[in-house]
Amino acid sequence: MASPVAFRYALGLLLQDPLKGHYDYLEGGYEPGESPMSSRFSTLKISYKPLWKTRLDKGMRKQDLREQARISASTIARLGRDENVATAVLVRMCEALHCQRLDIVGLVPCTQSSRQED
């Protein structure tokens, strides 16, 4: 744990120049306002392929899933493109499919081309 003197010194540097001494911006390689969690820095990407397999195994149509999980057509489209959706959506889909989160979401290696798309 940092000593109080070191903490006050670091705080003083931040108050003089908010970005000075801020490791993420100086050493992390990303711009102010850009998230370190952006796909430019990720090596893994979300995949919803398990969702579609689980849905088929349960004999459920996309329309049935939409209605039972109370999600919109645009959310289904986002899932089809492996884009981010709210955690609450994932929970409702698990409830509708009577499954666990790992039955609908997976992580796959992120390719260089998919990083550039995001």
Side-chain angles (χ1 to χ4, degrees):
M1 175 103 99
S3 71
V5 173
F7 179 76
R8 281 196 301 266
Y9 176 75
L11 182 61
L13 288 176
L14 287 173
L15 292 175
Q16 290 172 8
D17 182 358
L19 294 182
K20 186 173 185 169
H22 197 284
Y23 175 80
D24 291 338
Y25 293 115
L26 296 178
E27 304 293 331
Y30 53 90
E31 301 295 321
E34 182 181 22
S35 169
M37 299 303 289
S38 71
S39 62
R40 185 170 89 133
F41 299 97
S42 294
T43 57
L44 295 174
K45 176 181 171 169
I46 286 185
S47 171
Y48 295 107
K49 283 186 180 178
L51 166 66
W52 308 122
K53 182 184 180 317
T54 300
R55 180 184 61 83
L56 289 174
D57 291 348
K58 303 277 184 173
M60 190 179 284
R61 298 177 309 147
K62 283 185 182 179
Q63 182 64 30
D64 298 334
L65 177 62
R66 275 190 57 218
E67 291 170 359
Q68 290 183 27
R70 301 174 320 276
I71 56 178
S72 67
S74 63
T75 299
I76 291 286
R78 289 177 63 84
L79 291 163
R81 295 188 301 264
D82 289 336
E83 294 179 356
N84 292 335
V85 297
T87 307
V89 169
L90 299 177
V91 170
R92 290 195 310 264
M93 287 190 304
C94 285
E95 290 171 345
L97 292 166
H98 305 289
C99 67
Q100 296 294 314
R101 68 185 183 286
L102 294 178
D103 296 327
I104 64 170
V105 177
L107 291 175
V108 295
C110 187
T111 62
Q112 188 65 28
S113 61
S114 66
R115 280 189 215 146
Q116 291 173 351
E117 292 171 6
D118 291 339

